[in-house]
C-alpha cells in the first residue's frame, strides 16, 4: 500500500497532465475533490472539484487566481481515467 504522500504526488502529477477539453453539459455534479493546505488546516490553499460527466474542474482557495476557477479536461484520456481510478481506490 502506498503512503499518503506518494498518493498525493501521483494525483497532482495526473492533474497537472490532464489535457484540456470543451465544456459538456450535466449541471456540474462533482464526485471527487482534492484539497491542499499549508501547515494549518485553515484556510485551504486550493480545492479542485472534478466532475467526470461534464469534464469540468472548479478550483477555489487562497492560491487560486479567479481566472483559473473553472477549467475543462478531457475525461476520456488515459491520464483522466488513471486519476479517476486513483480517486476510486482511495474512497472508503
Amino acid at each position: 500500500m502506498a503512503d499518503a504522500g506518494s498518493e498525493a504526488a501521483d494525483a497532482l502529477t495526473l492533474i497537472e497532465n490532464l489535457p484540456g477539453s470543451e465544456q459538456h453539459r450535466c449541471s456540474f455534479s462533482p464526485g471527487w475533490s482534492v484539497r491542499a493546505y499549508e501547515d494549518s488546516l485553515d484556510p485551504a490553499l486550493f480545492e479542485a472539484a472534478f466532475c467526470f460527466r461534464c469534464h469540468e474542474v472548479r478550483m477555489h482557495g487562497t492560491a487560486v487566481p479567479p481566472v483559473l476557477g473553472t477549467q475543462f479536461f478531457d475525461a476520456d484520456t488515459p491520464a483522466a481515467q488513471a486519476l479517476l481510478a486513483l480517486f476510486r481506490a482511495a474512497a472508503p
Side-chain angles (χ1 to χ4, degrees):
M1 182 172 172
D3 65 47
S6 66
E7 286 180 351
D10 291 346
L12 291 174
T13 298
L14 289 168
I15 291 167
E16 179 181 32
N17 291 311
L18 288 176
S21 179
E22 303 228 349
Q23 183 176 14
H24 293 69
R25 302 275 180 212
C26 90
S27 73
F28 190 71
S29 180
W32 311 98
S33 68
V34 174
R35 286 189 190 135
Y37 296 92
E38 289 191 84
D39 292 334
S40 69
L41 293 180
D42 191 42
L45 291 172
F46 72 86
E47 178 177 8
F50 294 85
C51 180
F52 283 81
R53 286 184 296 216
C54 66
H55 301 198
E56 185 174 338
V57 58
R58 292 186 186 172
M59 296 178 53
H60 62 88
T62 60
V64 180
V67 70
L68 298 178
T70 299
Q71 300 179 45
F72 302 96
F73 65 99
D74 188 341
D76 297 321
T77 63
Q81 291 301 301
L83 180 62
L84 181 57
L86 188 66
F87 286 153
R88 287 178 173 158

